[in-house]
Amino acid sequence: MNIKEAGFRALSAEEIKALDFNPFVKIGDEWFLVTAGDENGWNTMTASWGFAGIMWGKNSFITAIRPQRHTKTFIDKSEYFTASFFPENMKKALAYCGSHSGRDVDKAKETGLEPIFIDTDDGKSVTAFSQASLILVCKKTYVQQMTSDSFVIPEVDKANYATGDYHTEYIGEITAVYVK
C-alpha cells in the first residue's frame, strides 16, 4: 500500500508551519514510532525522546536510539527514517513495539500495524504505517553517538547510562509531512 492509498495527503510548506504540533505532548506523552528500511526489510521501535525544530535552516527531527535496539541496524544503513504519530487508540500497539524486539517477533503481525512504503524525492523508499495520523519523513543529515565526557551534569549520565549504552542521535531534515 502506498501513502495515498492509505488516505494521507502531503502538507505544503505553509501548512507545515501552521501544523498544531506540541513536541512535549506528541513526543513525550503520546510517543511515536521511529522506522527505517523499505519493502526489502524494515524495523520500528517506540520512542518518547526526541526533538522537532529548525537545524541548519531546515525543518528537522532528532531521534535517539540505544546500540542494542534492532532498529539501529536499519537506521544506520538507511538514508531516511520516519517518525509516525498515532491516535490514542494505538497506544497499546506502541507499547508493544517499545517492549519487543523485531529480532524476535513480527511487530506488524502482532500489533496489526500495516506498513506503507513512501517514495522519497530522490527515488528511495521508507516505511511508515497506515494507522498513523501524522508522518514525518526525515533524511539523515547528522549522526553522533553520545559519550560520557559530553555530559556537563554527571548525574544525568549516571541516571540514564549506568551500563554505558549511550544513545546515538540522528538528526534528519524533514523532507515531507503527511496527515490524514
Side-chain angles (χ1 to χ4, degrees), residues 22-163:
N22 180 328
F24 304 105
V25 173
K26 287 290 188 196
I27 297 169
D29 293 341
E30 295 177 4
W31 313 335
F32 64 97
L33 289 180
V34 59
T35 309
D38 58 22
E39 298 94 334
N40 298 313
W42 56 269
N43 199 60
T44 192
M45 61 174 260
T46 303
S48 62
W49 291 4
F51 303 89
I54 306 299
M55 190 69 177
W56 305 302
K58 305 282 187 183
N59 293 342
S60 298
F61 190 82
I62 303 172
T63 190
I65 301 178
R66 290 190 191 266
Q68 64 267 36
R69 297 302 298 253
H70 189 46
T71 301
K72 187 174 185 318
T73 304
F74 288 86
I75 199 168
D76 283 343
K77 65 182 179 181
S78 299
E79 197 172 334
Y80 288 86
F81 65 92
T82 59
S84 299
F85 297 86
F86 294 82
E88 184 64 33
N89 68 337
M90 296 298 296
K91 194 81 173 216
K92 186 176 178 181
L94 271 67
Y96 184 91
C97 290
S99 60
H100 293 79
S101 175
R103 287 183 190 97
D104 305 322
V105 298
D106 180 337
K107 292 181 184 184
K109 180 181 175 185
E110 295 299 322
T111 62
L113 285 167
E114 184 176 14
I116 55 175
F117 304 102
I118 303 169
D119 293 326
T120 65
D121 290 339
D122 56 1
K124 308 284 184 186
S125 178
V126 66
T127 308
F129 299 95
S130 69
Q131 294 95 331
S133 54
L134 170 70
I135 298 169
L136 307 178
V137 176
C138 305
K139 185 173 185 175
K140 283 190 316 189
T141 55
Y142 184 82
V143 177
Q144 177 71 51
Q145 183 174 357
M146 300 172 98
T147 61
S148 180
D149 61 345
S150 295
F151 282 92
V152 295
I153 302 174
E155 293 77 22
V156 174
D157 182 13
K158 290 176 188 168
N160 292 283
Y161 301 102
T163 62

